[in-house]
mmCIF file of all heavy atoms in Angstrom:
data_model
loop_
_atom_site.group_PDB
_atom_site.id
_atom_site.type_symbol
_atom_site.label_atom_id
_atom_site.label_comp_id
_atom_site.label_asym_id
_atom_site.label_seq_id
_atom_site.Cartn_x
_atom_site.Cartn_y
_atom_site.Cartn_z
ATOM 1 N N LYS A 1 2.256 93.855 110.906
ATOM 2 C CA LYS A 1 1.493 94.344 112.061
ATOM 3 C C LYS A 1 1.817 93.558 113.337
ATOM 4 O O LYS A 1 0.959 93.390 114.218
ATOM 5 C CB LYS A 1 -0.018 94.309 111.770
ATOM 6 C CG LYS A 1 -0.443 95.250 110.659
ATOM 7 C CD LYS A 1 -1.958 95.290 110.469
ATOM 8 C CE LYS A 1 -2.353 96.284 109.378
ATOM 9 N NZ LYS A 1 -3.811 96.342 109.174
ATOM 10 N N SER A 2 3.037 93.080 113.449
ATOM 11 C CA SER A 2 3.467 92.373 114.668
ATOM 12 C C SER A 2 3.763 93.388 115.777
ATOM 13 O O SER A 2 4.131 94.530 115.504
ATOM 14 C CB SER A 2 4.723 91.540 114.386
ATOM 15 O OG SER A 2 4.483 90.619 113.349
ATOM 16 N N ALA A 3 3.625 92.949 117.034
ATOM 17 C CA ALA A 3 3.976 93.790 118.183
ATOM 18 C C ALA A 3 5.430 93.511 118.533
ATOM 19 O O ALA A 3 5.755 92.464 119.087
ATOM 20 C CB ALA A 3 3.060 93.482 119.362
ATOM 21 N N LEU A 4 6.303 94.446 118.169
ATOM 22 C CA LEU A 4 7.733 94.303 118.440
ATOM 23 C C LEU A 4 8.132 95.317 119.499
ATOM 24 O O LEU A 4 8.398 96.486 119.202
ATOM 25 C CB LEU A 4 8.546 94.506 117.157
ATOM 26 C CG LEU A 4 8.274 93.527 116.013
ATOM 27 C CD1 LEU A 4 9.107 93.885 114.787
ATOM 28 C CD2 LEU A 4 8.580 92.099 116.435
ATOM 29 N N VAL A 5 8.135 94.863 120.752
ATOM 30 C CA VAL A 5 8.487 95.727 121.884
ATOM 31 C C VAL A 5 9.606 95.046 122.674
ATOM 32 O O VAL A 5 9.438 93.913 123.145
ATOM 33 C CB VAL A 5 7.271 95.973 122.802
ATOM 34 C CG1 VAL A 5 7.661 96.884 123.962
ATOM 35 C CG2 VAL A 5 6.109 96.566 122.018
ATOM 36 N N ARG A 6 10.734 95.711 122.770
ATOM 37 C CA ARG A 6 11.928 95.152 123.444
ATOM 38 C C ARG A 6 12.321 93.801 122.820
ATOM 39 O O ARG A 6 12.857 92.926 123.492
ATOM 40 C CB ARG A 6 11.709 95.010 124.951
ATOM 41 C CG ARG A 6 11.509 96.345 125.667
ATOM 42 C CD ARG A 6 11.333 96.158 127.171
ATOM 43 N NE ARG A 6 10.167 95.354 127.487
ATOM 44 C CZ ARG A 6 8.928 95.826 127.553
ATOM 45 N NH1 ARG A 6 8.694 97.104 127.353
ATOM 46 N NH2 ARG A 6 7.923 95.024 127.839
ATOM 47 N N THR A 7 12.037 93.651 121.548
ATOM 48 C CA THR A 7 12.405 92.436 120.824
ATOM 49 C C THR A 7 13.874 92.526 120.420
ATOM 50 O O THR A 7 14.344 93.576 119.990
ATOM 51 C CB THR A 7 11.519 92.262 119.582
ATOM 52 O OG1 THR A 7 10.146 92.442 119.959
ATOM 53 C CG2 THR A 7 11.695 90.893 118.971
ATOM 54 N N ASP A 8 14.583 91.416 120.554
ATOM 55 C CA ASP A 8 16.025 91.406 120.319
ATOM 56 C C ASP A 8 16.351 90.466 119.154
ATOM 57 O O ASP A 8 16.086 89.266 119.220
ATOM 58 C CB ASP A 8 16.740 90.939 121.599
ATOM 59 C CG ASP A 8 18.245 91.086 121.507
ATOM 60 O OD1 ASP A 8 18.740 91.477 120.441
ATOM 61 O OD2 ASP A 8 18.932 90.815 122.504
ATOM 62 N N PHE A 9 16.916 91.036 118.089
ATOM 63 C CA PHE A 9 17.402 90.245 116.965
ATOM 64 C C PHE A 9 18.924 90.257 117.027
ATOM 65 O O PHE A 9 19.545 91.316 116.868
ATOM 66 C CB PHE A 9 16.929 90.828 115.626
ATOM 67 C CG PHE A 9 15.434 90.808 115.433
ATOM 68 C CD1 PHE A 9 14.658 91.886 115.830
ATOM 69 C CD2 PHE A 9 14.809 89.715 114.859
ATOM 70 C CE1 PHE A 9 13.276 91.884 115.648
ATOM 71 C CE2 PHE A 9 13.425 89.695 114.670
ATOM 72 C CZ PHE A 9 12.657 90.782 115.072
ATOM 73 N N ASN A 10 19.513 89.093 117.272
ATOM 74 C CA ASN A 10 20.950 89.017 117.504
ATOM 75 C C ASN A 10 21.590 87.969 116.595
ATOM 76 O O ASN A 10 21.245 86.794 116.656
ATOM 77 C CB ASN A 10 21.209 88.673 118.984
ATOM 78 C CG ASN A 10 22.669 88.737 119.354
ATOM 79 O OD1 ASN A 10 23.521 89.105 118.544
ATOM 80 N ND2 ASN A 10 22.978 88.381 120.585
ATOM 81 N N LYS A 11 22.503 88.410 115.742
ATOM 82 C CA LYS A 11 23.246 87.497 114.856
ATOM 83 C C LYS A 11 22.305 86.592 114.069
ATOM 84 O O LYS A 11 22.577 85.405 113.871
ATOM 85 C CB LYS A 11 24.233 86.649 115.664
ATOM 86 C CG LYS A 11 25.280 87.450 116.415
ATOM 87 C CD LYS A 11 26.173 86.547 117.237
ATOM 88 C CE LYS A 11 27.161 87.355 118.056
ATOM 89 N NZ LYS A 11 27.996 86.492 118.924
ATOM 90 N N SER A 12 21.211 87.138 113.615
ATOM 91 C CA SER A 12 20.217 86.346 112.888
ATOM 92 C C SER A 12 20.130 86.795 111.433
ATOM 93 O O SER A 12 20.449 87.944 111.106
ATOM 94 C CB SER A 12 18.844 86.462 113.555
ATOM 95 O OG SER A 12 18.870 85.884 114.851
ATOM 96 N N SER A 13 19.702 85.887 110.569
ATOM 97 C CA SER A 13 19.563 86.199 109.153
ATOM 98 C C SER A 13 18.182 86.795 108.879
ATOM 99 O O SER A 13 17.166 86.201 109.225
ATOM 100 C CB SER A 13 19.757 84.929 108.315
ATOM 101 O OG SER A 13 19.475 85.198 106.950
ATOM 102 N N LEU A 14 18.165 87.984 108.256
ATOM 103 C CA LEU A 14 16.907 88.648 107.929
ATOM 104 C C LEU A 14 16.836 88.937 106.427
ATOM 105 O O LEU A 14 16.221 89.913 105.999
ATOM 106 C CB LEU A 14 16.768 89.951 108.727
ATOM 107 C CG LEU A 14 16.663 89.815 110.251
ATOM 108 C CD1 LEU A 14 16.654 91.186 110.915
ATOM 109 C CD2 LEU A 14 15.405 89.055 110.645
ATOM 110 N N ALA A 15 17.444 88.079 105.627
ATOM 111 C CA ALA A 15 17.436 88.265 104.175
ATOM 112 C C ALA A 15 16.035 88.032 103.622
ATOM 113 O O ALA A 15 15.473 86.942 103.763
ATOM 114 C CB ALA A 15 18.425 87.303 103.516
ATOM 115 N N GLY A 16 15.449 89.071 103.041
ATOM 116 C CA GLY A 16 14.105 88.944 102.493
ATOM 117 C C GLY A 16 13.007 89.017 103.527
ATOM 118 O O GLY A 16 11.820 88.920 103.191
ATOM 119 N N THR A 17 13.366 89.185 104.790
ATOM 120 C CA THR A 17 12.371 89.299 105.860
ATOM 121 C C THR A 17 11.595 90.604 105.679
ATOM 122 O O THR A 17 12.169 91.648 105.399
ATOM 123 C CB THR A 17 13.056 89.286 107.238
ATOM 124 O OG1 THR A 17 13.915 88.146 107.316
ATOM 125 C CG2 THR A 17 12.031 89.236 108.355
ATOM 126 N N LYS A 18 10.276 90.544 105.877
ATOM 127 C CA LYS A 18 9.430 91.692 105.567
ATOM 128 C C LYS A 18 8.721 92.212 106.815
ATOM 129 O O LYS A 18 7.985 91.481 107.476
ATOM 130 C CB LYS A 18 8.406 91.305 104.498
ATOM 131 C CG LYS A 18 7.762 92.490 103.797
ATOM 132 C CD LYS A 18 7.001 92.041 102.564
ATOM 133 C CE LYS A 18 6.483 93.228 101.766
ATOM 134 N NZ LYS A 18 5.784 92.797 100.527
ATOM 135 N N PHE A 19 8.973 93.487 107.149
ATOM 136 C CA PHE A 19 8.303 94.172 108.256
ATOM 137 C C PHE A 19 7.359 95.205 107.643
ATOM 138 O O PHE A 19 7.802 96.182 107.039
ATOM 139 C CB PHE A 19 9.319 94.863 109.161
ATOM 140 C CG PHE A 19 10.271 93.925 109.859
ATOM 141 C CD1 PHE A 19 11.440 93.512 109.240
ATOM 142 C CD2 PHE A 19 10.000 93.463 111.143
ATOM 143 C CE1 PHE A 19 12.321 92.654 109.883
ATOM 144 C CE2 PHE A 19 10.871 92.606 111.787
ATOM 145 C CZ PHE A 19 12.036 92.190 111.151
ATOM 146 N N THR A 20 6.055 94.978 107.796
ATOM 147 C CA THR A 20 5.063 95.849 107.177
ATOM 148 C C THR A 20 4.106 96.403 108.237
ATOM 149 O O THR A 20 3.583 95.648 109.060
ATOM 150 C CB THR A 20 4.242 95.077 106.119
ATOM 151 O OG1 THR A 20 5.128 94.426 105.210
ATOM 152 C CG2 THR A 20 3.330 96.015 105.355
ATOM 153 N N ASP A 21 3.893 97.730 108.207
ATOM 154 C CA ASP A 21 2.970 98.385 109.152
ATOM 155 C C ASP A 21 3.322 98.024 110.588
ATOM 156 O O ASP A 21 2.449 97.660 111.394
ATOM 157 C CB ASP A 21 1.519 97.980 108.864
ATOM 158 C CG ASP A 21 1.072 98.388 107.469
ATOM 159 O OD1 ASP A 21 1.521 99.435 106.991
ATOM 160 O OD2 ASP A 21 0.278 97.652 106.849
ATOM 161 N N VAL A 22 4.615 98.136 110.918
ATOM 162 C CA VAL A 22 5.100 97.742 112.241
ATOM 163 C C VAL A 22 5.713 98.951 112.955
ATOM 164 O O VAL A 22 6.435 99.741 112.351
ATOM 165 C CB VAL A 22 6.163 96.627 112.132
ATOM 166 C CG1 VAL A 22 6.753 96.307 113.501
ATOM 167 C CG2 VAL A 22 5.548 95.377 111.523
ATOM 168 N N LYS A 23 5.417 99.054 114.251
ATOM 169 C CA LYS A 23 6.106 100.020 115.099
ATOM 170 C C LYS A 23 7.111 99.251 115.943
ATOM 171 O O LYS A 23 6.727 98.453 116.800
ATOM 172 C CB LYS A 23 5.119 100.768 116.002
ATOM 173 C CG LYS A 23 5.801 101.816 116.893
ATOM 174 C CD LYS A 23 4.787 102.588 117.733
ATOM 175 C CE LYS A 23 5.490 103.640 118.582
ATOM 176 N NZ LYS A 23 4.525 104.410 119.417
ATOM 177 N N LEU A 24 8.379 99.482 115.687
ATOM 178 C CA LEU A 24 9.439 98.807 116.430
ATOM 179 C C LEU A 24 9.801 99.669 117.631
ATOM 180 O O LEU A 24 10.308 100.786 117.468
ATOM 181 C CB LEU A 24 10.675 98.580 115.555
ATOM 182 C CG LEU A 24 10.512 97.648 114.340
ATOM 183 C CD1 LEU A 24 10.002 98.423 113.123
ATOM 184 C CD2 LEU A 24 11.831 96.970 113.989
ATOM 185 N N THR A 25 9.527 99.165 118.839
ATOM 186 C CA THR A 25 9.737 99.943 120.056
ATOM 187 C C THR A 25 10.810 99.300 120.928
ATOM 188 O O THR A 25 10.662 98.144 121.341
ATOM 189 C CB THR A 25 8.422 100.055 120.858
ATOM 190 O OG1 THR A 25 7.408 100.636 120.024
ATOM 191 C CG2 THR A 25 8.618 100.928 122.085
ATOM 192 N N ASP A 26 11.883 100.053 121.202
ATOM 193 C CA ASP A 26 12.994 99.557 122.032
ATOM 194 C C ASP A 26 13.535 98.231 121.507
ATOM 195 O O ASP A 26 13.928 97.348 122.284
ATOM 196 C CB ASP A 26 12.558 99.410 123.490
ATOM 197 C CG ASP A 26 12.155 100.738 124.114
ATOM 198 O OD1 ASP A 26 12.687 101.766 123.670
ATOM 199 O OD2 ASP A 26 11.293 100.747 125.008
ATOM 200 N N VAL A 27 13.549 98.080 120.210
ATOM 201 C CA VAL A 27 14.057 96.865 119.564
ATOM 202 C C VAL A 27 15.568 96.982 119.378
ATOM 203 O O VAL A 27 16.094 98.057 119.112
ATOM 204 C CB VAL A 27 13.365 96.651 118.197
ATOM 205 C CG1 VAL A 27 14.043 95.541 117.397
ATOM 206 C CG2 VAL A 27 11.886 96.334 118.397
ATOM 207 N N LYS A 28 16.267 95.860 119.513
ATOM 208 C CA LYS A 28 17.716 95.823 119.295
ATOM 209 C C LYS A 28 18.017 94.929 118.100
ATOM 210 O O LYS A 28 17.533 93.795 118.020
ATOM 211 C CB LYS A 28 18.449 95.307 120.534
ATOM 212 C CG LYS A 28 18.321 96.200 121.756
ATOM 213 C CD LYS A 28 19.151 95.667 122.921
ATOM 214 C CE LYS A 28 18.942 96.514 124.185
ATOM 215 N NZ LYS A 28 19.398 97.894 123.992
ATOM 216 N N LEU A 29 18.832 95.448 117.185
ATOM 217 C CA LEU A 29 19.294 94.672 116.036
ATOM 218 C C LEU A 29 20.817 94.676 116.081
ATOM 219 O O LEU A 29 21.461 95.666 115.726
ATOM 220 C CB LEU A 29 18.783 95.277 114.738
ATOM 221 C CG LEU A 29 17.258 95.227 114.567
ATOM 222 C CD1 LEU A 29 16.698 96.596 114.227
ATOM 223 C CD2 LEU A 29 16.856 94.235 113.503
ATOM 224 N N THR A 30 21.388 93.569 116.568
ATOM 225 C CA THR A 30 22.822 93.498 116.823
ATOM 226 C C THR A 30 23.491 92.500 115.892
ATOM 227 O O THR A 30 23.069 91.342 115.805
ATOM 228 C CB THR A 30 23.084 93.078 118.281
ATOM 229 O OG1 THR A 30 22.387 93.964 119.162
ATOM 230 C CG2 THR A 30 24.566 93.135 118.603
ATOM 231 N N MET A 31 24.522 92.970 115.191
ATOM 232 C CA MET A 31 25.299 92.124 114.282
ATOM 233 C C MET A 31 24.376 91.392 113.313
ATOM 234 O O MET A 31 24.437 90.177 113.141
ATOM 235 C CB MET A 31 26.163 91.131 115.081
ATOM 236 C CG MET A 31 27.169 91.795 115.984
ATOM 237 S SD MET A 31 28.225 90.632 116.883
ATOM 238 C CE MET A 31 29.234 89.985 115.539
ATOM 239 N N VAL A 32 23.494 92.176 112.669
ATOM 240 C CA VAL A 32 22.512 91.626 111.735
ATOM 241 C C VAL A 32 22.754 92.210 110.339
ATOM 242 O O VAL A 32 22.998 93.412 110.190
ATOM 243 C CB VAL A 32 21.075 91.951 112.189
ATOM 244 C CG1 VAL A 32 20.064 91.455 111.170
ATOM 245 C CG2 VAL A 32 20.792 91.332 113.546
ATOM 246 N N ASP A 33 22.698 91.365 109.334
ATOM 247 C CA ASP A 33 22.803 91.819 107.948
ATOM 248 C C ASP A 33 21.410 92.197 107.460
ATOM 249 O O ASP A 33 20.547 91.345 107.294
ATOM 250 C CB ASP A 33 23.390 90.697 107.083
ATOM 251 C CG ASP A 33 23.691 91.160 105.653
ATOM 252 O OD1 ASP A 33 23.180 92.217 105.250
ATOM 253 O OD2 ASP A 33 24.432 90.449 104.943
ATOM 254 N N LEU A 34 21.195 93.501 107.231
ATOM 255 C CA LEU A 34 19.870 94.005 106.863
ATOM 256 C C LEU A 34 19.800 94.445 105.406
ATOM 257 O O LEU A 34 18.816 95.070 104.999
ATOM 258 C CB LEU A 34 19.508 95.191 107.763
ATOM 259 C CG LEU A 34 19.346 94.873 109.257
ATOM 260 C CD1 LEU A 34 19.366 96.151 110.077
ATOM 261 C CD2 LEU A 34 18.061 94.112 109.509
ATOM 262 N N ARG A 35 20.799 94.100 104.619
ATOM 263 C CA ARG A 35 20.856 94.623 103.258
ATOM 264 C C ARG A 35 19.673 94.183 102.392
ATOM 265 O O ARG A 35 19.293 94.878 101.458
ATOM 266 C CB ARG A 35 22.172 94.193 102.589
ATOM 267 C CG ARG A 35 23.396 94.938 103.132
ATOM 268 C CD ARG A 35 24.676 94.395 102.518
ATOM 269 N NE ARG A 35 24.913 93.014 102.923
ATOM 270 C CZ ARG A 35 25.917 92.266 102.440
ATOM 271 N NH1 ARG A 35 26.736 92.768 101.544
ATOM 272 N NH2 ARG A 35 26.080 91.028 102.865
ATOM 273 N N LYS A 36 19.089 93.022 102.685
ATOM 274 C CA LYS A 36 17.962 92.535 101.897
ATOM 275 C C LYS A 36 16.668 92.500 102.702
ATOM 276 O O LYS A 36 15.684 91.894 102.274
ATOM 277 C CB LYS A 36 18.288 91.133 101.355
ATOM 278 C CG LYS A 36 19.451 91.118 100.373
ATOM 279 C CD LYS A 36 19.702 89.718 99.823
ATOM 280 C CE LYS A 36 20.864 89.705 98.828
ATOM 281 N NZ LYS A 36 21.124 88.349 98.299
ATOM 282 N N THR A 37 16.674 93.146 103.866
ATOM 283 C CA THR A 37 15.469 93.206 104.693
ATOM 284 C C THR A 37 14.534 94.282 104.152
ATOM 285 O O THR A 37 14.981 95.329 103.686
ATOM 286 C CB THR A 37 15.842 93.509 106.156
ATOM 287 O OG1 THR A 37 16.825 92.572 106.595
ATOM 288 C CG2 THR A 37 14.625 93.422 107.056
ATOM 289 N N ILE A 38 13.239 94.038 104.233
ATOM 290 C CA ILE A 38 12.253 94.967 103.677
ATOM 291 C C ILE A 38 11.455 95.605 104.812
ATOM 292 O O ILE A 38 10.833 94.899 105.618
ATOM 293 C CB ILE A 38 11.291 94.236 102.720
ATOM 294 C CG1 ILE A 38 12.091 93.580 101.583
ATOM 295 C CG2 ILE A 38 10.250 95.191 102.156
ATOM 296 C CD1 ILE A 38 11.282 92.575 100.781
ATOM 297 N N PHE A 39 11.483 96.938 104.900
ATOM 298 C CA PHE A 39 10.691 97.692 105.866
ATOM 299 C C PHE A 39 9.702 98.554 105.091
ATOM 300 O O PHE A 39 10.101 99.380 104.264
ATOM 301 C CB PHE A 39 11.579 98.581 106.732
ATOM 302 C CG PHE A 39 12.516 97.836 107.648
ATOM 303 C CD1 PHE A 39 13.837 97.627 107.289
ATOM 304 C CD2 PHE A 39 12.076 97.348 108.872
ATOM 305 C CE1 PHE A 39 14.706 96.944 108.127
ATOM 306 C CE2 PHE A 39 12.930 96.656 109.718
ATOM 307 C CZ PHE A 39 14.256 96.458 109.340
#
């Protein structure tokens, strides 16, 4: 339930990172490995 508005994830590790009940608005995910990310 985080507020993710114009949030920028750049070259960051999101392995096992969990996004639950989130509205991602104008978010950028650049050069990110999302294979183990949980939405």
Side-chain angles (χ1 to χ4, degrees):
K1 295 185 178 180
S2 302
L4 299 178
V5 181
R6 296 182 299 277
T7 312
D8 188 356
F9 296 91
N10 187 4
K11 300 177 184 177
S12 295
S13 173
L14 295 175
T17 308
K18 198 168 186 178
F19 296 86
T20 308
D21 299 326
V22 175
K23 181 177 181 180
L24 296 86
T25 303
D26 297 332
V27 170
K28 296 184 184 297
L29 295 128
T30 306
M31 299 182 70
V32 176
D33 187 344
L34 295 165
R35 287 175 294 175
K36 295 182 180 179
T37 307
I38 302 166
F39 294 98

